Amino acid sequence: MPWVHILVTFISLLVACAIFYVFAATCFKTVDSKSILTNLLTVNAVFSAILITYLFSRITWSKERKLETLKESISLSQKLTDFRRILNKLTYYYKVWADDNAAKSLIDHGKFKHIDFYDYKLSMISDYEPKNKKLIRELYDHQNFKEGESTLYLAMVSLVRNRNNPRYEYQEELYKDFEHNGLYNIKAVEKWLNCEIFGSIWYWLDQNNNYISYHALNNDKEYILSAASRINKKYEGHDLNNDLLKELSDDFNSHYLKELHIRLKELTKGVTDLNLLIITLITVSLVFGVLLPFILLFIPSKTIWHEPIVAVLASINSGLITYFILRFPTLINKELKWT
């Protein structure tokens, strides 16, 4: 809790001030500053060594967790690739859609070929204004535009390729059925989540069962069903129809894409929480408890500023150790809690 952190910090500062007063007022009258520096070096060397050992053990553990997260992210990315392979087949040919003039001919050619579903959807439901907003409005008002079929096709083809790219980008993984051990860009995943692209595909498929002529895909039927079964074994033996695509879309909308986003966010995190605190403590301890005391050992103790600096170093190190002792049980408890 924040108030606990504030209390611990206050107590540590109080201890540091008390140590400074003791050293500045009385300690140097009975103890030589050089011996104090030697003790600081000894204590902080041990303290830093313990922290460094603990830090490396935590880094090893964190790395193992991230490797597991990486494997899960690759698996989820592969499922997404297989779904995009299915959509590639659905948007690759003419005569697959009930009205090509409202789908492939309108969306993939001419001046509308670079409109992306993200820009289209957000410009329609929010104050978001893409650079091509006028062109999007022109597409919506076009005589061949059909809100259901055209929107569905735009959503599917926007998942297949980057329509904002003025040049067609060949993506080899969409034309084969091998495993692709890559990860999706987290920004692309966030865009798909924000515009609810999978939910839109499910919605328009649910509104009309006749947008897609599945019999036109007989030559690719086995390829599509194989990709669906790789996404989830429950689709083995499923017929190629609207129900299959609706269920797949719903799976990605409600589960797969969100899980992939969670794991990608985890992979983008650097040093956090307890590891960050330990690194900070080690840095402060090495600078104020090892490096500076070591330098001061070679400086004559008779200089007027020598004793005040030694007092400051002693107080900083006392406050640092106090802070660590008070915070450590809470941090360990936090690390061990899973819920």
Side-chain angles (χ1 to χ4, degrees), residues 77 80-81 84-85 88 91-92 116 156-165 167-178 180 183-185 188 192 223:
S77 294
L80 181 53
T81 297
R84 291 176 64 231
R85 287 169 176 170
N88 182 54
T91 58
Y92 191 73
D116 184 74
M156 287 187 174
V157 79
S158 295
L159 278 168
V160 172
R161 55 183 175 268
N162 180 8
R163 290 174 59 84
N164 288 321
N165 190 342
R167 296 176 296 176
Y168 178 76
E169 183 181 353
Y170 178 80
Q171 299 182 62
E172 185 180 4
E173 71 273 12
L174 298 182
Y175 299 89
K176 303 289 183 180
D177 58 1
F178 56 81
H180 182 67
L183 293 177
Y184 280 90
N185 186 289
W192 291 335
Y223 177 91

Side-chain angles (χ1 to χ4, degrees), residues 152 201-209 212 242 245-246:
L152 176 61
I201 293 174
W202 176 89
Y203 175 80
W204 291 113
L205 286 171
D206 190 56
Q207 293 299 304
N208 192 311
N209 292 323
I212 301 170
N242 243 44
L245 289 180
K246 280 199 304 182

Side-chain angles (χ1 to χ4, degrees), residues 22 49 59-60 99 119 129 179 181 201 249 262 271-272 283 302 304 314:
V22 170
I59 288 176
T60 302
D99 185 358
D119 296 328
E129 293 192 7
E179 289 189 4
N181 292 325
I201 293 174
S249 302
I262 291 171
V271 180
T272 58
T283 303
K302 294 181 180 180
I304 191 171

Side-chain angles (χ1 to χ4, degrees), residues 184-229:
Y184 280 90
N185 186 289
I186 190 171
K187 291 183 178 179
V189 172
E190 287 174 346
K191 287 181 66 175
W192 291 335
L193 283 170
N194 291 337
C195 68
E196 297 181 338
I197 192 166
F198 290 95
S200 296
I201 293 174
W202 176 89
Y203 175 80
W204 291 113
L205 286 171
D206 190 56
Q207 293 299 304
N208 192 311
N209 292 323
N210 301 315
Y211 288 141
I212 301 170
S213 303
Y214 294 99
H215 61 81
L217 294 165
N218 282 336
N219 292 335
D220 295 299
K221 181 178 179 180
E222 185 178 345
Y223 177 91
I224 293 172
L225 294 178
S226 176
S229 65

Side-chain angles (χ1 to χ4, degrees), residues 248-295:
L248 283 169
S249 302
D250 186 52
D251 287 348
F252 279 94
N253 181 58
S254 61
H255 180 69
Y256 291 133
L257 195 66
K258 292 177 182 177
E259 290 296 315
L260 176 59
H261 182 245
I262 291 171
R263 284 158 178 77
L264 290 177
K265 282 184 67 177
E266 188 67 27
L267 290 175
T268 59
K269 290 180 181 179
V271 180
T272 58
D273 300 330
L274 186 55
N275 286 348
L276 182 60
L277 174 62
I278 293 172
I279 290 174
T280 303
L281 291 174
I282 290 172
T283 303
V284 175
S285 178
L286 289 175
V287 171
F288 292 99
V290 178
L291 179 62
L292 292 180
F294 182 75
I295 294 173

Side-chain angles (χ1 to χ4, degrees), residues 31 34-44 289:
V31 182
K34 294 287 186 180
S35 63
I36 295 174
L37 290 173
T38 302
N39 290 329
L40 284 176
L41 274 170
T42 303
V43 171
N44 279 279

